[in-house]
Amino acid sequence: MSWKTEVFDGELLPLIAILRGIMPAEVEQHVEVLIEAGFNAIEIPLNSPDWQTSIKAVSAKYGARALIGGGTVLTPQNVDQLAELGGKLVVTPNTSAPVIRRAVELGMVVCAGCATASEAFTALEAGAQGLKIFPSSAFGPDYIKALKAVLPPEIPVFAVGGVTPENLHLFMAAGCIGAGLGSDLYRAGQPVSRTQQQARAFIDAYQGALQ
């Protein structure tokens, strides 16, 4: 199972690494072990310290190997900033049609946050190529399964919020193509070895869920 986009030349593993709170001085080390583990979609939230420096550096070094971008993108101006820094992935916590439309205009990949059918279809009408159900752990797999029943089957849906290696298979069984992985993959300040360990755990869990 994978997802494709014209923005990135090749198939993307449908696991988005969320590096909330990461510092520019450490970002390349963590991204390196994530890519080595098999990740090729990296999100640096815009409420991280000096996110502009991190995204610019990672986009320049790893942009050919991974889809790099920003999360917690709230305004069209944020989208413009991301594009200038080389970011190609836009992840939102909410459903904002102006943000989605601006990102699509700039040829970026949008994974839009939503919780209801109304929000999901608003995001799709604005041009979002993917949806993230947030917070997934609060809604649960049964809710996502019901929501998926009314969504276009070709639209990739990601579970975000509270996803762990232990429960990833439940969300995938509910119809998610994959997930956005936050604090169980990376917490601000953790050593690279911990990121490497959790990256492998999530890859193993994803592969196990496909069997």
Side-chain angles (χ1 to χ4, degrees):
M1 187 183 298
S2 61
W3 53 305
K4 296 182 179 180
T5 169
E6 295 179 359
V7 172
F8 183 77
D9 185 18
E11 293 187 349
L12 287 159
L13 180 76
L15 297 176
I16 302 173
I18 304 171
L19 303 181
R20 188 177 304 279
I22 199 158
M23 303 287 287
E26 61 181 344
V27 67
E28 291 186 21
Q29 293 175 295
H30 287 270
V31 171
E32 182 70 35
V33 298
L34 286 167
I35 290 177
E36 287 177 354
F39 282 78
N40 57 3
I42 311 290
E43 168 196 339
I44 298 174
L46 271 55
N47 54 5
S48 301
D50 196 8
W51 60 269
Q52 297 96 328
T53 299
S54 292
I55 291 176
K56 183 176 182 179
V58 173
S59 296
K61 186 169 183 177
Y62 300 103
R65 299 169 61 191
L67 182 66
I68 309 293
T72 317
V73 180
L74 300 175
T75 68
Q77 291 74 26
N78 288 158
V79 176
D80 290 340
Q81 288 176 288
L82 271 175
E84 291 171 3
L85 296 168
K88 297 180 179 179
L89 173 66
V90 172
V91 183
T92 71
N94 60 337
T95 307
S96 172
V99 168
I100 296 167
R101 284 196 293 266
R102 181 56 180 159
V104 172
E105 286 174 4
L106 294 176
M108 303 168 85
V109 177
V110 184
C111 189
C114 62
T116 66
S118 294
E119 292 174 346
F121 281 103
T122 295
L124 295 178
E125 288 168 4
Q129 301 98 327
L131 300 173
K132 80 172 204 183
I133 309 302
F134 177 81
S136 289
S137 60
F139 291 108
D142 287 345
Y143 177 86
I144 294 175
K145 183 176 181 179
L147 183 59
K148 273 282 297 179
V150 300
L151 295 175
E154 70 275 10
I155 298 297
V157 173
F158 297 82
V160 181
V163 180
T164 68
E166 291 72 31
N167 66 20
L168 175 61
H169 71 284
L170 299 176
F171 293 105
M172 291 178 63
C176 292
I177 190 174
L181 309 173
S183 60
D184 214 67
L185 174 66
Y186 173 82
R187 291 181 185 269
Q190 76 181 25
V192 174
S193 58
R194 172 65 178 176
T195 302
Q196 185 177 49
Q197 174 187 346
Q198 290 304 97
R200 290 172 176 167
F202 273 110
I203 293 291
D204 288 345
Y206 171 76
Q207 293 175 341
L210 296 179
Q211 296 176 0

